[in-house]
Structures are given as C-alpha cells and as structure tokens.
Amino acid sequence: MTAGCAAPGPAAEWEPLGLSWHPSGQSSLSGPLLALAGRLDRAFLLLAATLWGAREERHPASMPAGTLQRVDYLHSFPHQASFPVRLDPDEANLDAFRAGPVLGPDGDVRLTRLAPAREVLTPAACYHLYAGHEGTSLAGPLYLTTSNTCFRHEARYEPLRRQWSFTMREFVCMGSAPETEAFLAEGRSAVDLLLKRLDVAVEWSVATDPFFRPLQNPQYLMQRVQPSKHEAVYGGELAIGSANQHHDHFGAGFSITRDGGPASSACIAFGIERWLFALVRRHGTDPAAWPDPAGVAAQVTGVPAGEPA
C-alpha cells in the first residue's frame, strides 16, 4: 500500500467513501466509490472494444428457469440460486395474506400461496448472451460484452468482497476452440497490463466453480482433470476476475454452431465491487490518490477515455 494510506476495514469505515451496507448482503454506492465504479466499467469497455470490437448488450435481471436448465444450472448450483416470486393472484389468497401478520418479528414475510416460479435472478451476466444467440451459425468468432446485477446466495457476506447481489462485467467469445483460446490469452494479457498500470498485484490461480456436492458432479470432475477456470486473485484470497474456457458446453446447450458443430465459448468476468475493494485496499481512503482506470485503459489501448471506442 502507498505509504501513509489507510485502508478501510468494517462496513462503517467505508461509509465516507460512499458505501451503504445492507444486512441482506448487498451494498449501495454513491460519491467516490460510485464514480470509481463508473470509471472502472469504462476501462473494461475500452478493452473490449479495442481488442475485439465487442458489441455490447444489455439484458434483464432475471432469466427463464427453463433456459438456464438447458445447461443444468439448477442441478449444479441450487444452493446459490435466487428466485423472484409473487403471491398467487387469487383474491382469496391475497385477502388471506392481508389478514395475516404480513411480517414476522424478524422481518420475514409471512407468505401465503405463491404463484409458480418460472424465473431465476441472473447468476452470471454471460448466460443471457448464449441464450440470446440461440440457433446462430457462426461464420467467424463472435465477441460480445455485457454487464448485469447478479445474484448468488452465499454462506456469509462481506462488504464489496462477498455479496448476494453484485455487478458483473463480462467479455465473451463464441467460435472455434482456437479462437476462444486466443481470446483468453489476449484478454488475460490485457488485464495483466491494466492491473500493472493500476499498481494492483494479482496471481492467476487454477479454480473450479462452486458446484453443489462437487464430487458428484461430472462438470466439477472435468474441471479438475482439465483445468478450464483461472482466477485473478488479489491479496492471496480474493478473486476479482476469472477467465473461463467452456469448450462446447454452451454451444451445444443453445444450438450455436461453428464449422458445422457446436461452437466453443469462453468468457472473462470481472466483479466490479471486488475491484473497488482491491483498488481502495491498495491505494488508501483518499479518493485523490486513486488511479483513474478509464485513463489507464486509454493509455493501454490508445483510445481516449472520453471518446467512443
């Protein structure tokens, strides 16, 4: 850390920087932290546009459960899934809800009968991209980027580091296996250069996804045998980004083809809140001492930060 800088600890120490922590495992941002988050996302957009001419897409905060289940998400990660639910709209059911206590002493909603749950709150931003390009026959690599508020239940929550809802920016490539491998290599090199210029040190480590009962899941066992996930780890224990080779998992699941067969895909993902944590931990609590990620990305890419990439 820069000499003389102090890094915040508990949630209350982040409040002057614009963090408001919610016991549900969520944070609100304003002031310096919100401004830094905006500059950080601009940096990622500059990389995506300059390296690959990636097209940006925006998607809803939830997905049809049937769509996610095409790639077996609900069997693999039931412990992390969040579902938007509503009361059954039958008037008798609504009257029963209104007549009840509505809220329990701990703030829990005393629900009556629920309508069928058909959606899942977005667990990772890139799922929308594969579903959105279902049935596409690719003549060349397809490069996309998207950002979304993502939801994952965890055993514990910590401000910026581990949250129920968080912001994820992703780069995605769909194409042949060599094209996705080249994408990951080029993307990791660019991220390494960005982090070096930001003076934030990370180590790339082999990782696996947090499967439910992993030893019973063939996908987990495959990741152990043939490593396909690497995480950029800050401070020896906080993953602030990941590079993931999916092979034809999503291509087969969503009928996306390349060269007559299921397309390969790969993604590079960034947790915006975790990057904020790493930047403040490294550079201290004075916003004047923080580097400008968008400006640094402009130096790396040669594209002025204030201009369209």
Side-chain angles (χ1 to χ4, degrees), residues 160-171:
L160 301 181
R161 294 165 51 90
R162 187 174 298 276
Q163 302 189 164
W164 174 36
S165 72
F166 55 95
T167 309
M168 183 184 293
R169 164 65 64 182
E170 295 206 50
F171 307 154

Side-chain angles (χ1 to χ4, degrees), residues 129-172:
L129 300 180
Y130 312 120
H133 292 269
E134 182 177 6
T136 300
S137 179
L138 302 172
L142 176 62
Y143 301 106
L144 301 168
T145 184
T146 192
S147 177
N148 212 319
T149 299
C150 297
F151 296 81
R152 296 180 189 173
H153 283 295
E154 302 277 3
R156 60 184 174 82
Y157 299 113
E158 299 176 47
L160 301 181
R161 294 165 51 90
R162 187 174 298 276
Q163 302 189 164
W164 174 36
S165 72
F166 55 95
T167 309
M168 183 184 293
R169 164 65 64 182
E170 295 206 50
F171 307 154
V172 166

